[in-house]
mmCIF file of all heavy atoms in Angstrom:
data_model
loop_
_atom_site.group_PDB
_atom_site.id
_atom_site.type_symbol
_atom_site.label_atom_id
_atom_site.label_comp_id
_atom_site.label_asym_id
_atom_site.label_seq_id
_atom_site.Cartn_x
_atom_site.Cartn_y
_atom_site.Cartn_z
ATOM 1 N N LEU A 182 4.512 -9.023 -14.096
ATOM 2 C CA LEU A 182 3.338 -8.254 -14.500
ATOM 3 C C LEU A 182 2.127 -9.183 -14.570
ATOM 4 O O LEU A 182 2.285 -10.399 -14.750
ATOM 5 C CB LEU A 182 3.573 -7.645 -15.885
ATOM 6 C CG LEU A 182 4.695 -6.610 -15.980
ATOM 7 C CD1 LEU A 182 4.931 -6.226 -17.434
ATOM 8 C CD2 LEU A 182 4.349 -5.362 -15.160
ATOM 9 N N ALA A 183 0.927 -8.594 -14.451
ATOM 10 C CA ALA A 183 -0.306 -9.405 -14.522
ATOM 11 C C ALA A 183 -0.596 -9.733 -15.980
ATOM 12 O O ALA A 183 -1.566 -9.248 -16.568
ATOM 13 C CB ALA A 183 -1.468 -8.632 -13.908
ATOM 14 N N SER A 184 0.239 -10.588 -16.560
ATOM 15 C CA SER A 184 0.163 -10.816 -18.008
ATOM 16 C C SER A 184 -1.053 -11.655 -18.412
ATOM 17 O O SER A 184 -1.325 -11.816 -19.590
ATOM 18 C CB SER A 184 1.439 -11.470 -18.510
ATOM 19 O OG SER A 184 1.682 -12.613 -17.734
ATOM 20 N N TYR A 185 -1.817 -12.161 -17.422
ATOM 21 C CA TYR A 185 -3.026 -12.904 -17.792
ATOM 22 C C TYR A 185 -4.080 -11.963 -18.403
ATOM 23 O O TYR A 185 -5.009 -12.413 -19.066
ATOM 24 C CB TYR A 185 -3.596 -13.680 -16.585
ATOM 25 C CG TYR A 185 -4.350 -12.862 -15.561
ATOM 26 C CD1 TYR A 185 -5.738 -12.765 -15.603
ATOM 27 C CD2 TYR A 185 -3.686 -12.186 -14.546
ATOM 28 C CE1 TYR A 185 -6.445 -12.015 -14.665
ATOM 29 C CE2 TYR A 185 -4.377 -11.432 -13.601
ATOM 30 C CZ TYR A 185 -5.758 -11.352 -13.666
ATOM 31 O OH TYR A 185 -6.439 -10.607 -12.742
ATOM 32 N N ILE A 186 -3.900 -10.660 -18.169
ATOM 33 C CA ILE A 186 -4.696 -9.666 -18.902
ATOM 34 C C ILE A 186 -3.741 -9.083 -19.957
ATOM 35 O O ILE A 186 -2.812 -8.349 -19.598
ATOM 36 C CB ILE A 186 -5.233 -8.555 -17.964
ATOM 37 C CG1 ILE A 186 -6.142 -9.182 -16.885
ATOM 38 C CG2 ILE A 186 -5.987 -7.479 -18.750
ATOM 39 C CD1 ILE A 186 -6.642 -8.220 -15.819
ATOM 40 N N PRO A 187 -3.908 -9.431 -21.237
ATOM 41 C CA PRO A 187 -2.890 -9.096 -22.241
ATOM 42 C C PRO A 187 -2.431 -7.632 -22.202
ATOM 43 O O PRO A 187 -1.232 -7.352 -22.292
ATOM 44 C CB PRO A 187 -3.567 -9.444 -23.569
ATOM 45 C CG PRO A 187 -4.581 -10.482 -23.212
ATOM 46 C CD PRO A 187 -5.031 -10.186 -21.814
ATOM 47 N N GLU A 188 -3.361 -6.683 -22.047
ATOM 48 C CA GLU A 188 -2.980 -5.264 -22.031
ATOM 49 C C GLU A 188 -2.020 -4.934 -20.891
ATOM 50 O O GLU A 188 -1.173 -4.062 -21.023
ATOM 51 C CB GLU A 188 -4.222 -4.379 -21.886
ATOM 52 C CG GLU A 188 -4.814 -3.851 -23.149
ATOM 53 C CD GLU A 188 -3.862 -3.161 -24.099
ATOM 54 O OE1 GLU A 188 -3.127 -2.260 -23.679
ATOM 55 O OE2 GLU A 188 -3.858 -3.540 -25.279
ATOM 56 N N LEU A 189 -2.176 -5.627 -19.771
ATOM 57 C CA LEU A 189 -1.327 -5.313 -18.614
ATOM 58 C C LEU A 189 0.097 -5.846 -18.793
ATOM 59 O O LEU A 189 1.024 -5.426 -18.103
ATOM 60 C CB LEU A 189 -1.944 -5.842 -17.314
ATOM 61 C CG LEU A 189 -3.277 -5.205 -16.894
ATOM 62 C CD1 LEU A 189 -3.723 -5.718 -15.531
ATOM 63 C CD2 LEU A 189 -3.197 -3.682 -16.854
ATOM 64 N N ALA A 190 0.281 -6.749 -19.744
ATOM 65 C CA ALA A 190 1.630 -7.255 -20.024
ATOM 66 C C ALA A 190 2.480 -6.193 -20.721
ATOM 67 O O ALA A 190 3.705 -6.298 -20.772
ATOM 68 C CB ALA A 190 1.545 -8.502 -20.894
ATOM 69 N N ASN A 191 1.805 -5.140 -21.247
ATOM 70 C CA ASN A 191 2.552 -4.082 -21.942
ATOM 71 C C ASN A 191 3.030 -2.975 -21.008
ATOM 72 O O ASN A 191 3.635 -2.002 -21.451
ATOM 73 C CB ASN A 191 1.660 -3.413 -23.012
ATOM 74 C CG ASN A 191 1.190 -4.411 -24.045
ATOM 75 O OD1 ASN A 191 1.910 -5.351 -24.358
ATOM 76 N ND2 ASN A 191 -0.021 -4.227 -24.565
ATOM 77 N N LEU A 192 2.736 -3.101 -19.713
ATOM 78 C CA LEU A 192 3.114 -2.032 -18.776
ATOM 79 C C LEU A 192 4.628 -1.934 -18.645
ATOM 80 O O LEU A 192 5.334 -2.938 -18.743
ATOM 81 C CB LEU A 192 2.545 -2.350 -17.385
ATOM 82 C CG LEU A 192 1.064 -2.101 -17.150
ATOM 83 C CD1 LEU A 192 0.676 -2.622 -15.767
ATOM 84 C CD2 LEU A 192 0.792 -0.601 -17.232
ATOM 85 N N ASN A 193 5.103 -0.721 -18.389
ATOM 86 C CA ASN A 193 6.524 -0.548 -18.077
ATOM 87 C C ASN A 193 6.742 -1.022 -16.630
ATOM 88 O O ASN A 193 6.232 -0.419 -15.690
ATOM 89 C CB ASN A 193 6.876 0.937 -18.225
ATOM 90 C CG ASN A 193 8.296 1.234 -17.813
ATOM 91 O OD1 ASN A 193 8.957 0.393 -17.201
ATOM 92 N ND2 ASN A 193 8.761 2.420 -18.148
ATOM 93 N N PRO A 194 7.495 -2.106 -16.434
ATOM 94 C CA PRO A 194 7.611 -2.696 -15.093
ATOM 95 C C PRO A 194 8.345 -1.800 -14.093
ATOM 96 O O PRO A 194 8.266 -2.027 -12.887
ATOM 97 C CB PRO A 194 8.419 -3.986 -15.337
ATOM 98 C CG PRO A 194 9.068 -3.813 -16.661
ATOM 99 C CD PRO A 194 8.255 -2.840 -17.450
ATOM 100 N N ASP A 195 9.034 -0.766 -14.603
ATOM 101 C CA ASP A 195 9.831 0.082 -13.696
ATOM 102 C C ASP A 195 9.067 1.274 -13.143
ATOM 103 O O ASP A 195 9.616 2.062 -12.378
ATOM 104 C CB ASP A 195 11.083 0.577 -14.420
ATOM 105 C CG ASP A 195 11.951 -0.592 -14.852
ATOM 106 O OD1 ASP A 195 12.022 -1.581 -14.090
ATOM 107 O OD2 ASP A 195 12.529 -0.540 -15.960
ATOM 108 N N LYS A 196 7.808 1.414 -13.517
ATOM 109 C CA LYS A 196 7.029 2.538 -12.984
ATOM 110 C C LYS A 196 6.949 2.405 -11.461
ATOM 111 O O LYS A 196 6.785 1.303 -10.927
ATOM 112 C CB LYS A 196 5.610 2.524 -13.561
ATOM 113 C CG LYS A 196 5.555 2.833 -15.045
ATOM 114 C CD LYS A 196 5.829 4.294 -15.286
ATOM 115 C CE LYS A 196 5.896 4.613 -16.766
ATOM 116 N NZ LYS A 196 6.361 5.976 -17.030
ATOM 117 N N PHE A 197 7.032 3.546 -10.791
ATOM 118 C CA PHE A 197 6.964 3.522 -9.328
ATOM 119 C C PHE A 197 6.512 4.908 -8.857
ATOM 120 O O PHE A 197 7.174 5.907 -9.143
ATOM 121 C CB PHE A 197 8.339 3.176 -8.757
ATOM 122 C CG PHE A 197 8.372 2.955 -7.257
ATOM 123 C CD1 PHE A 197 7.282 2.422 -6.569
ATOM 124 C CD2 PHE A 197 9.525 3.270 -6.524
ATOM 125 C CE1 PHE A 197 7.324 2.215 -5.199
ATOM 126 C CE2 PHE A 197 9.574 3.059 -5.149
ATOM 127 C CZ PHE A 197 8.479 2.533 -4.487
ATOM 128 N N GLY A 198 5.370 4.948 -8.199
ATOM 129 C CA GLY A 198 4.861 6.230 -7.725
ATOM 130 C C GLY A 198 4.192 6.081 -6.370
ATOM 131 O O GLY A 198 3.741 4.987 -6.006
#
Side-chain angles (χ1 to χ4, degrees):
L182 295 173
S184 53
Y185 77 96
I186 299 175
E188 265 309 308
L189 295 185
N191 300 327
L192 283 174
N193 175 347
D195 299 323
K196 292 287 175 189
F197 187 32

